[in-house]
Amino acid sequence: MTTSTAERSRECIRGLYGVTPDTEDSETLMPQVRAALEGGMRLLQYRNKSTDRALRRYQASAIQALCLVHNAALIVNDDVELALEVDAAGVHLGREDGSIAEARARLGPDKLIGATCYRLLENAERALNEGADHIAFGSFFVSTVKPGAVRSTPSILTEAKRKFGVPVVAIGGITTENAPVVISAGADSVAVITALFGAPDIAAAARQFNALFDKD
């Protein structure tokens, strides 16, 4: 991880971190993303597990265009090649999403790489040694997206910040009501799917999440 990448990670990985719902309905998805961006979201992860490569390329390209207009960073989940194709800010990799070291070699020193570390500091240490520049822990609360996910405790965020000094993301069932718990524990950013993109007013939800980071 270069100094420039470290600085960019600290700049980008903060506040609300939107994660797109996994959908093939692009006509609905694009207005949702636009609303979140208009509400102040400056970090978005494109997540779509569809095997339709053309659909994923179309959606990622369209979302990247929206992000550029709003000065937001786009992170692509699980797909280094797609991130390169659309010139995204970086990728996010889970346990079964391939080698972080290979991703760093493919993306170069200037792209962001996030790693899911679940509830283990050793996972974070390994990921950072392989080239990740920010780390994510979870699930902290009951999640409708991954209801069976193993739960983490907020203390791991505090420990990770103390030990590694890199941006730390909290994920899993986060809402505006419970987000203060993980923010006060050290989360630089909260990754949100349902409480953002499932909200009646997406722009208002984005503003509410970001406002939580402005409090003393």
Side-chain angles (χ1 to χ4, degrees):
M1 179 174 58
T2 67
T3 301
S4 61
T5 306
E7 291 174 349
R8 189 179 184 205
S9 182
R10 292 188 181 97
E11 177 184 327
C12 293
I13 313 301
R14 57 193 302 269
L16 171 63
Y17 184 175
V19 181
T20 61
D22 192 340
T23 178
E24 297 183 359
D25 184 358
S26 302
E27 291 186 4
T28 298
L29 179 62
M30 299 311 156
Q32 290 178 325
V33 170
R34 184 181 296 108
L37 290 166
E38 290 173 351
M41 177 185 69
R42 292 295 173 263
L43 179 62
L44 175 66
Q45 181 183 135
Y46 172 61
R47 181 181 184 274
N48 189 327
K49 299 297 185 179
S50 170
T51 57
D52 187 334
R53 182 76 183 176
L55 171 68
R56 295 174 68 239
R57 186 184 302 111
Y58 167 75
Q59 289 185 342
S61 296
I63 289 172
Q64 170 69 334
L66 288 171
C67 286
L68 290 175
V69 168
H70 291 85
N71 194 30
L74 175 64
I75 304 290
V76 174
N77 178 277
D78 183 25
D79 195 329
V80 172
E81 295 308 315
L82 182 58
L84 285 168
E85 287 177 28
V86 303
D87 194 25
V91 297
H92 184 87
L93 300 175
R95 180 166 44 200
E96 300 174 355
D97 293 339
S99 164
I100 291 173
E102 290 177 6
R104 176 57 72 195
R106 187 77 180 92
L107 292 169
D110 298 326
K111 296 292 188 180
L112 304 179
I113 298 180
T116 298
C117 303
Y118 305 96
R119 56 175 181 168
L120 298 174
L121 290 176
E122 51 262 45
N123 288 346
E125 185 168 20
R126 185 182 309 112
L128 292 169
N129 287 336
E130 291 180 359
D133 52 80
H134 60 283
I135 48 181
F137 295 93
S139 174
F140 289 97
F141 308 102
V142 176
S143 169
T144 58
V145 176
K146 293 185 178 181
V150 177
R151 300 280 285 278
S152 296
T153 57
S155 62
I156 196 170
L157 300 168
T158 308
E159 294 171 23
K161 288 294 294 183
R162 177 184 56 79
K163 184 171 184 178
F164 304 118
V166 300
V168 173
V169 181
I171 190 168
I174 295 175
T175 66
T176 52
E177 287 75 24
N178 60 35
V181 174
V182 292
I183 294 171
S184 63
D188 297 284
S189 184
V190 289
V192 184
I193 303 176
T194 306
L196 176 63
F197 290 106
D201 186 332
I202 294 173
R207 288 191 291 270
Q208 290 166 7
F209 273 108
N210 276 329
L212 297 174
F213 289 86
D214 296 332
K215 296 180 179 179
D216 294 333

